[in-house]
């Protein structure tokens, strides 16, 4: 009797960041101290050399302020011009065998829609054929051997309807089983999540219904 398995798949949360504003008391005291220093310096007669030094410092400060403003403007423009990520579908492929500690062996992949599930799995190095992984044992996507069977645990609404080939080869199988070479995952604009059981005939657990 196989163990009952429940897998909860979700996207990782994005932590929010807040910029802390300086305390009002500190800002006020700093501003007042600067104004006092400026008012005091106006009443002092500086030597020509000291006046030139102050003018040089002011020019350097103006250049620095302009540079900071330019960087901030360029950074904002670059962020606005950054392209959005294209639509994609997130997959959780579950191995038929559990890990030694009894937890699911899950491999996560992301792919664009509009592709055969078989191609997504092979391109992501996900085991599709298991013991049938030889050219003489599978038809390489022709839809006549029935060795690329998967079980769609979640996200079946993203797959194309069953073809006549699937209906014939899977007529004695559970409704959630599909042929990866026949099932197309949505379209290029599709987004969502899918949980796919690899090699369901060889799995050692049962999914909760």
């Amino acid at each position: 009797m196989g163990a009952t398995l429940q897998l909860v798949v979700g996207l990782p949360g994005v932590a929010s960041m807040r910029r802390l504003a300086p305390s009002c008391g500190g800002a006020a005291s700093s501003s007042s101290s600067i104004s006092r220093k400026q008012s005091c310096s106006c009443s002092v007669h500086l030597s020509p050399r000291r006046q030139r030094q102050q003018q040089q410092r002011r020019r350097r400060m103006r250049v620095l302020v302009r540079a900071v403003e330019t960087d901030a403007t360029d950074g904002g423009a670059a962020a606005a011009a950054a392209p959005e990520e294209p639509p994609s579908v997130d997959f959780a492929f579950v191995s038929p065998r559990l890990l030694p500690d009894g937890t699911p062996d899950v491999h996560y992949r992301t792919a664009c829609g509009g592709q055969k599930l078989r191609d997504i799995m092979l391109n992501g190095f996900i085991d599709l054929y298991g013991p049938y992984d030889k050219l003489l044992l599978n038809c390489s996507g022709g839809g006549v051997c029935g060795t690329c069977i998967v079980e769609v645990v979640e996200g079946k609404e993203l797959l194309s309807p069953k073809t006549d080939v699937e209906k014939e080869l899977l007529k004695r199988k559970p409704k959630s089983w599909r042929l990866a070479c026949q099932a197309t995952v949505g379209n290029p604009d599709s987004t969502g999540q899918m949980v796919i059981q690899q090699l369901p005939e060889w799995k050692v657990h049962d999914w909760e219904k």
Side-chain angles (χ1 to χ4, degrees), residues 128-172:
L128 176 61
Y129 293 112
Y132 312 112
D133 193 14
K134 293 182 180 179
L135 293 179
L136 296 178
L137 294 178
N138 68 74
C139 61
S140 300
V144 296
C145 68
T147 59
C148 63
I149 295 177
V150 296
E151 180 180 358
V152 183
V153 181
E154 290 185 17
K156 62 181 180 180
E157 67 279 359
L158 290 171
L159 293 183
S160 58
K162 284 186 177 181
T163 64
D164 293 338
V165 173
E166 287 183 283
K167 292 178 182 178
E168 177 63 26
L169 293 179
L170 301 177
K171 59 185 177 181
R172 300 179 184 275

Side-chain angles (χ1 to χ4, degrees), residues 49-202:
R49 179 181 178 184
R50 187 64 179 272
Q51 290 177 357
R52 286 195 300 271
Q53 291 177 346
Q54 285 192 350
Q55 290 174 354
Q56 290 175 354
R57 283 198 295 269
R58 292 193 188 101
R59 283 196 294 269
R60 288 196 295 269
M61 287 297 297
R62 286 196 293 269
V63 171
L64 178 61
V65 170
R66 283 197 296 270
V68 171
E69 292 175 347
T70 301
D71 290 342
T73 303
D74 293 345
E84 296 182 358
E85 294 185 1
S88 60
V89 179
D90 297 317
F91 295 87
F93 294 103
V94 185
S95 173
R97 300 286 177 179
L98 299 177
L99 294 173
D101 61 358
T103 59
D105 184 9
V106 186
H107 301 271
Y108 298 95
R109 299 290 187 272
T110 300
C112 295
Q115 306 181 69
K116 295 291 186 183
L117 182 57
R118 173 184 184 272
D119 297 331
I120 293 175
M121 295 179 69
L122 293 180
N123 291 337
F125 302 100
I126 300 297
D127 187 13
L128 176 61
Y129 293 112
Y132 312 112
D133 193 14
K134 293 182 180 179
L135 293 179
L136 296 178
L137 294 178
N138 68 74
C139 61
S140 300
V144 296
C145 68
T147 59
C148 63
I149 295 177
V150 296
E151 180 180 358
V152 183
V153 181
E154 290 185 17
K156 62 181 180 180
E157 67 279 359
L158 290 171
L159 293 183
S160 58
K162 284 186 177 181
T163 64
D164 293 338
V165 173
E166 287 183 283
K167 292 178 182 178
E168 177 63 26
L169 293 179
L170 301 177
K171 59 185 177 181
R172 300 179 184 275
K173 304 295 184 181
K175 294 181 178 180
S176 58
W177 290 22
R178 299 291 303 267
L179 293 181
C181 70
Q182 298 293 300
T184 300
V185 181
N187 55 66
D189 296 329
S190 296
T191 59
Q193 299 181 22
M194 297 192 70
V195 179
I196 303 296
Q197 171 69 65
Q198 304 163 233
L199 304 169
E201 291 183 310
W202 299 83

